[in-house]
Amino acid sequence: MLTDFLHVIPDTDIAKTDQPVTVIRMNSIANAVGMFVNNQTGEILLQSRVTAHDDRTRVQHVNCPVSFIPDLIF
């Protein structure tokens, strides 16, 4: 997950942002503005301007900055 701002509430396993966000998982990429994550239930809500791309036919190599989080674990 890539975003400039992420508000994490550890006691409730909730994370949210109102900023642009990119979620990268395997060969899928989703972009949105705003996101809500409930780590207890696994719910991820992308709030607006959502676009997604899934390319299962190729292996994707991504140079990710340090802020990349492969799985949402609080």
Side-chain angles (χ1 to χ4, degrees), residues 7-63:
H7 181 158
V8 178
I9 309 167
D11 294 340
T12 60
D13 277 346
I14 299 289
K16 57 186 175 179
T17 185
D18 61 357
Q19 300 298 308
V21 62
T22 300
V23 179
I24 303 167
R25 179 79 175 165
M26 305 274 295
N27 290 331
S28 300
I29 300 173
N31 295 293
V33 176
M35 178 187 69
F36 173 87
V37 177
N38 182 329
N39 201 44
Q40 288 180 346
T41 65
E43 176 187 19
I44 299 174
L45 174 64
L46 301 175
Q47 296 178 316
S48 66
R49 300 181 65 186
V50 178
T51 62
H53 177 74
D54 182 29
D55 188 352
R56 295 177 191 263
T57 61
R58 68 181 172 102
V59 175
Q60 180 177 340
H61 299 281
V62 178
N63 293 325

Side-chain angles (χ1 to χ4, degrees), residues 1 3-8 15-17 35 37 69 72 74:
M1 174 179 44
T3 187
D4 288 338
F5 176 80
L6 185 64
H7 181 158
V8 178
K16 57 186 175 179
T17 185
M35 178 187 69
V37 177
I69 304 170
L72 297 173
F74 298 96

